[in-house]
Amino acid sequence: MCVITVCCVFSPQRETKGQFLVDHVCNHYSLLEKDYFGIRYVDPEKQRHWLEPNKPIVKQMKSHQPYTMCFRVKFYPHEPMKIKEELTRYLLYLQLKRDVYHGRLLCPFADAAYLGACIVQAELGDYDQDEHPPDYIQDFKLFPKQSLKLERKIIDIHKNELRGQCSAVAELHLLQRAHNLETYGVDPHPCKDFTGSTAFLGFTATGFVVFQGNKRIHLLKWADVNKLKFEGKTFYVIGIQKEKKLVLTFHTSTPAACKHLWKCGVENQAFYKCAKSSQIKTVSSSNIFFKGSRFRYSGRVAKEVIEASSKIQREPPEVHRAESISCLTRPRISALSFFTGLLALKDSVHLSPLKPSTTPTERELDGVLTISELVYNPCASMLPTPVDDGQGGVDLLFQSPIQSPARLLRELHADPDIQAQLVAERVRDRAFERARVVGRSMLGSGLRLLTRNERVNTCVLSAVRLIAMVIGVLLVAVPMLLLLLESDIDVSFLHEIRQTPEFEQFHYEYYCPLRHWILCKISMVMERLGWD
């Protein structure tokens, strides 16, 4: 499996936002249906993240340069047949090949054989007895568990059912079969359920799904999902099932993994559920009385993307497919090609192969594939699979006469139009900063008379604001909290808050013991006063 790793020169300015990078990668390949794609990176703690379009790139990175990023399908089309352009279908096909290889796309035996045959047909073309030895499938690692029985079935389908199909048609058939599978579009998030059992959570065009092994144990459609939230390492899905309130609780390995899971859920729910992007709202990770994160998906929703695709009138761009399976004499080529738009933002340009991800090869096993801790590693699965340096890099996918991706990113900020955009952004940001400074100076003019030291002024102003904010919050929160805890007013808003798991935990584990302790102290004081 040849995957291209490209290390490109790109020096992001502090103001350069994530959308800027996504747009220019897509523009280089003339990709119009770009809303399905995103850029993913891994932080030093091995936690995956999606590059947020509205935040500066530098501020999102916790590590030092170089920054390594991967171009991936972020939202899988619910109906791949509605994709307008072959280029977009080809990139989706490459992502699905990768999902099959890493065990993310669970396949019953018949489907696995058909998908494998489609991949071979798209890459090799028609079966040729003179060119293909009897065991030619053994040279390719298509699945994490690849048995001899499965390979024989792939050969049979490749010989007899797919003959005459060009690469585009074979890819289209793979999309048609893959999108009907339960794990199509699932990016598995490993976690533990309330019993301590390992589970994988995912989000699809249909809704929220939970898998244990190769079995889907929960499917909650987006229309029935009321809220997604997290606190620390605990992730909550609150919805309705069979006209009853449902609260699912899961535990992740780290708070960062839980927050990433929550953000993915918020984005998928907005993308697939909303009819218009104007309906998307900012979501809080917790209730009003508990501190939490706020996040909003920014971008077009699925219905808008499909509508925009139907209006594309241009001449379709030519797709240059990678010659990734051209040699059958090499020992054990590790699977098929996948387009990895890997952007390493660093001070040098080179092509470098990565080590293969370790997945067990159990050729003696038959049956279905499973998402398991042995087969699937969410961090490893986002990394590119190995590539031969001599293959020519990512340019083999789309041979542009203009420039390569390395040259594109190297010259990104040398383009006059791009420089003008960045200068305009910097001017706006500086004007906003000046206005904010002027506002601060007007509000703190009285305090500035106390000292001429700017740092002291800043500390004093911050302390005053903090004290005022705390007093204001206490004046509002304490009466409301007492109203919730002590009153019996049956208002729907208050009733819903009282029924939440967090509120019940706070009430029984913290408030009741505290109230009991205060009452005991008051009783003791009163007894002493009465005795005296």
Side-chain angles (χ1 to χ4, degrees):
M1 173 168 166
C2 295
V3 177
I4 312 306
T5 302
V6 184
C7 296
C8 309
V9 171
F10 179 72
S11 300
Q13 306 295 328
R14 291 188 63 84
E15 301 86 358
T16 304
K17 293 182 171 60
Q19 191 62 49
F20 179 85
L21 184 57
V22 175
D23 288 343
H24 281 83
V25 172
C26 293
N27 290 342
H28 174 70
Y29 293 115
S30 192
L31 177 64
L32 292 184
E33 297 170 296
K34 58 187 178 182
D35 300 85
Y36 298 116
F37 302 88
I39 291 179
R40 172 175 276 175
Y41 64 95
V42 178
D43 65 21
E45 287 73 37
K46 306 300 181 183
Q47 175 57 50
R48 299 177 300 166
H49 302 273
W50 287 106
L51 190 68
E52 295 186 32
N54 291 335
K55 290 185 179 180
I57 297 174
V58 175
K59 290 185 179 179
Q60 297 185 57
M61 298 296 168
K62 296 181 180 179
S63 61
H64 298 290
Q65 295 190 26
Y67 305 141
T68 302
M69 306 179 187
C70 299
F71 189 75
R72 290 283 184 267
V73 174
K74 186 176 184 180
F75 303 110
Y76 288 70
H78 183 46
E79 298 178 273
M81 301 307 104
K82 291 187 178 180
I83 295 176
K84 182 69 174 290
E85 297 197 319
E86 181 185 344
L87 172 61
T88 314
R89 290 194 295 270
Y90 178 54
L91 294 179
L92 176 60
Y93 156 78
L94 293 175
Q95 176 71 66
L96 290 173
K97 277 201 303 183
R98 186 180 183 81
D99 293 346
V100 168
Y101 173 65
H102 285 289
R104 290 167 29 144
L105 190 64
L106 301 185
C107 307
F109 181 83
D111 291 320
Y114 187 81
L115 295 182
C118 287
I119 293 172
V120 174
Q121 178 69 25
E123 300 289 339
L124 296 182
D126 290 342
Y127 172 79
D128 189 329
Q129 187 175 1
D130 296 332
E131 294 184 7
H132 302 148
D135 57 350
Y136 66 101
I137 297 298
Q138 293 183 15
D139 291 322
F140 310 115
K141 186 73 166 62
L142 302 175
F143 299 92
K145 293 181 181 180
Q146 188 166 308
S147 65
L148 293 173
K149 179 181 177 181
L150 179 61
E151 290 177 355
R152 288 194 293 267
K153 185 62 176 178
I154 291 174
I155 293 174
D156 180 62
I157 297 175
H158 181 218
K159 283 182 180 180
N160 304 315
E161 296 184 26
L162 304 181
R163 177 171 295 276
Q165 294 183 7
C166 64
S167 295
V169 174
E171 293 161 5
L172 187 64
H173 287 163
L174 182 140
L175 299 186
Q176 288 176 324
R177 179 65 66 93
H179 99 280
N180 291 320
L181 299 174
E182 287 185 342
T183 50
Y184 169 76
V186 173
D187 184 11
H189 298 260
C191 65
K192 302 284 186 181
D193 62 13
F194 69 97
T195 66
S197 302
T198 300
F200 291 91
L201 312 186
F203 309 98
T204 69
T206 306
F208 167 75
V209 293
V210 182
F211 284 86
Q212 284 187 340
N214 62 345
K215 182 180 179 182
R216 188 178 72 186
I217 62 173
H218 277 297
L219 169 59
L220 199 60
K221 295 184 178 180
W222 288 125
D224 297 328
V225 176
N226 294 335
K227 187 175 179 64
L228 303 171
K229 62 180 183 178
F230 80 98
E231 288 181 5
K233 299 180 184 179
T234 306
F235 178 68
Y236 301 95
V237 180
I238 302 173
I240 299 174
Q241 196 169 57
K242 297 180 180 179
E243 300 183 354
K244 293 183 179 180
K245 184 177 180 179
L246 176 69
V247 179
L248 300 176
T249 305
F250 302 93
H251 304 283
T252 59
S253 57
T254 64
C258 198
K259 186 173 183 179
H260 173 64
L261 172 62
W262 173 70
K263 283 186 174 182
C264 290
V266 170
E267 289 188 313
N268 277 270
Q269 185 178 25
F271 183 80
Y272 294 115
K273 183 178 180 180
C274 295
K276 298 180 181 179
S277 54
S278 58
Q279 298 176 351
I280 301 174
K281 298 180 180 179
T282 301
V283 180
S284 175
S285 66
S286 191
N287 287 323
I288 189 172
F289 298 107
F290 300 89
K291 182 181 178 181
S293 301
R294 295 173 64 82
F295 181 68
R296 183 181 186 276
Y297 166 65
S298 58
R300 293 191 293 187
V301 300
K303 292 182 179 179
E304 292 175 332
V305 175
I306 294 174
E307 183 179 354
S309 297
S310 65
K311 296 179 181 179
I312 295 177
Q313 300 293 334
R314 69 170 181 176
E315 187 71 21
E318 185 177 359
V319 179
H320 297 273
R321 290 169 172 81
E323 299 280 340
S324 60
I325 308 183
S326 56
C327 179
L328 294 177
T329 60
R330 295 171 59 186
R332 200 69 186 169
I333 300 175
S334 56
L336 306 174
S337 70
F338 173 70
F339 168 49
T340 303
L342 187 65
L343 311 170
L345 313 183
K346 59 193 304 181
D347 298 329
S348 62
V349 181
H350 66 278
L351 297 178
S352 60
L354 296 183
K355 295 180 180 180
S357 56
T358 56
T359 52
T361 304
E362 302 181 15
R363 298 176 51 79
E364 69 278 5
L365 296 179
D366 295 332
V368 297
L369 305 179
T370 63
I371 297 177
S372 71
E373 293 176 300
L374 293 176
V375 174
Y376 176 70
N377 183 313
C379 183
S381 72
M382 72 141 292
L383 297 175
T385 342
V387 61
D388 185 355
D389 288 357
Q391 296 296 320
V394 76
D395 300 328
L396 285 176
L397 294 172
F398 310 96
Q399 297 181 359
S400 170
I402 301 174
Q403 56 184 345
S404 68
R407 185 177 174 187
L408 167 75
L409 295 174
R410 188 165 56 249
E411 299 177 355
L412 208 51
H413 287 277
D415 187 287
D417 295 333
I418 295 173
Q419 285 290 347
Q421 294 176 17
L422 291 176
V423 170
E425 276 192 29
R426 285 196 289 270
V427 170
R428 286 195 300 271
D429 291 343
R430 287 169 184 167
F432 176 76
E433 186 66 24
R434 283 196 296 269
R436 188 170 59 178
V437 171
V438 170
R440 286 179 177 178
S441 64
M442 294 177 63
L443 292 172
S445 58
L447 292 173
R448 286 197 181 89
L449 296 176
L450 299 175
T451 177
R452 295 180 181 179
N453 191 309
E454 185 176 354
R455 292 186 178 179
V456 174
N457 285 335
T458 303
C459 293
V460 172
L461 286 173
S462 299
V464 171
R465 290 195 187 96
L466 179 62
I467 293 171
M469 182 181 67
V470 170
I471 293 174
V473 170
L474 289 176
L475 290 175
V476 175
V478 172
M480 288 294 295
L481 192 59
L482 292 175
L483 181 67
L484 281 168
L485 294 167
E486 298 294 343
S487 71
D488 295 328
I489 300 175
D490 190 12
V491 181
S492 59
F493 169 69
L494 299 178
H495 180 72
E496 290 180 1
I497 294 176
R498 291 191 183 105
Q499 295 299 316
T500 59
E502 297 88 346
F503 187 84
E504 291 181 354
Q505 180 182 8
F506 173 78
H507 183 268
Y508 292 110
E509 294 186 13
Y510 298 99
Y511 178 72
C512 288
L514 178 63
R515 183 179 60 178
H516 179 71
W517 181 81
I518 293 174
L519 291 176
C520 289
K521 291 295 182 182
I522 293 175
S523 298
M524 290 173 61
V525 171
M526 295 298 292
E527 288 177 1
R528 288 178 182 178
L529 290 176
W531 181 77
D532 293 339

